[in-house]
Amino acid sequence: MQRRHRIATAFVGVVTAATFIVGSTSAASAADAVDSEVAAALQRVGAGTWSDSDLTLIKEREPDLADQIADPRSSAVTIEASAVKYLDGEIGPQPVEGEGNPADTSDDETLTALTDAESAGTLDNTATAGTDPTTTTTPAAATTSAKTASASLSASAAAASTAWKWVDVWYSHKSLLGSTIYRYHTYVKFQYNGTKVTAWGTRYDYLSNEQDIVQLGDRILNQKTGVPASSATSTMKRHVELCVISYGCYANLYPYIKIKVKGNGSYTYSGSGG
């Protein structure tokens, strides 16, 4: 499926057009379409330097625009997960074909297997945008605490046979008015025998529920640790750009999700919506 064309309007040019009006009819029309104060507030939202007054201004002046602007407050970004025991013929959610090639594994990197000490530990309790797992600079953005999934099997039951499980973890990004702008997902399939993760299956990331303003960029991180091991991690990170009509592309986001799977079939996850 062909992705929407990227909106090419440059933000700086939009601000200039809004503030440097000459008296021609075309200039007046451009001024009507762009509010320079809203443009400046939107720029601060994209840069992570916003204030509550900026968010209020956008909602009051441009309510239609506000329903397309990702809310930068932490309460607007939530992380959830769904997992089931793998059954014969069941493959779980599938990536949407298109720009970005979410199922392409050519960038996959296998790291050293976790040590026993690392396996016994947990993921970071908090996830801050731009600090883990790469040093890519990102705007200040909403963060979330890592959560421990409740879907685990008892070691005795799992040890009876080797089983498969898939886990789908996602971030939901909401607009200033509460609608869903997009969800960034990471999916992993893994095999376990009660004590060890014995194999990786399919792994990929994808978007769902995205509005037209969302532009899927390159996947910039795709790592997994080696198996067999008592636990293993899978991490993916993606570039997402947000572009709106009249105001252009205002934000570059780099959401990432790290999923830690364990030999007894349980899992934990953390990451950043930024």
Side-chain angles (χ1 to χ4, degrees):
M1 179 180 67
Q2 184 66 37
R3 298 286 303 176
R4 276 86 55 180
H5 291 294
R6 176 167 300 189
I7 301 172
T9 308
F11 183 82
V12 175
V14 170
V15 176
T16 303
T19 56
F20 187 77
I21 303 173
V22 241
S24 67
T25 302
S26 59
S29 299
D32 291 339
V34 176
D35 183 320
S36 61
E37 291 184 348
V38 170
L42 187 58
Q43 185 180 41
R44 288 190 290 272
V45 170
T49 58
W50 56 275
S51 65
D52 287 340
S53 60
D54 289 325
L55 306 184
T56 300
L57 176 69
I58 295 172
K59 288 190 288 186
E60 292 180 348
R61 295 271 188 92
E62 297 270 15
D64 290 340
L65 177 67
D67 203 33
Q68 302 176 55
I69 301 304
D71 194 330
R73 295 170 294 193
S74 59
S75 61
V77 182
T78 58
I79 184 169
E80 305 170 83
S82 175
V84 298
K85 184 176 179 180
Y86 229 83
L87 304 175
D88 290 342
E90 188 170 10
I91 58 176
Q94 293 300 292
V96 178
E97 292 299 327
E99 183 180 341
N101 299 317
D104 181 11
T105 59
S106 61
D107 58 351
D108 185 26
E109 179 184 4
T110 300
L111 306 178
T112 304
L114 298 182
T115 65
D116 288 340
E118 291 170 324
S119 295
T122 59
L123 295 180
D124 295 339
N125 289 327
T126 59
T128 304
T131 59
D132 182 17
T134 72
T135 56
T136 302
T137 300
T138 65
T143 61
T144 186
S145 295
K147 299 180 181 179
T148 302
S150 60
S152 63
L153 300 177
S154 67
S156 58
S161 63
T162 298
W164 286 93
K165 179 176 284 188
W166 62 262
V167 182
D168 188 29
V169 177
W170 63 90
Y171 271 102
S172 296
H173 291 250
K174 301 292 185 179
S175 76
L176 292 177
L177 299 186
S179 64
T180 298
I181 291 181
Y182 73 92
R183 288 177 178 155
Y184 173 69
H185 298 248
T186 294
Y187 168 96
V188 300
K189 172 187 172 184
F190 66 102
Q191 185 184 60
Y192 61 101
N193 63 9
T195 58
K196 290 185 179 296
V197 179
T198 54
W200 287 110
T202 308
R203 299 168 51 257
Y204 54 82
D205 63 347
Y206 66 103
L207 297 184
S208 70
N209 299 84
E210 70 266 37
Q211 296 185 13
D212 289 344
I213 68 168
V214 179
Q215 308 297 326
L216 179 65
D218 293 335
R219 186 165 56 200
I220 57 180
L221 189 69
N222 179 13
Q223 294 178 337
K224 65 181 185 294
T225 57
V227 291
S230 56
S231 71
T233 64
S234 171
T235 307
M236 289 191 181
K237 187 172 187 176
R238 177 74 72 162
H239 174 212
V240 175
E241 191 171 23
L242 302 181
C243 305
V244 293
I245 294 175
S246 298
Y247 291 90
C249 297
Y250 75 93
N252 289 285
L253 303 178
Y254 298 88
Y256 81 86
I257 293 173
K258 178 188 290 184
I259 303 173
K260 182 177 183 178
V261 297
K262 302 178 182 180
N264 65 355
S266 66
Y267 58 94
T268 59
Y269 51 88
S270 67
S272 167

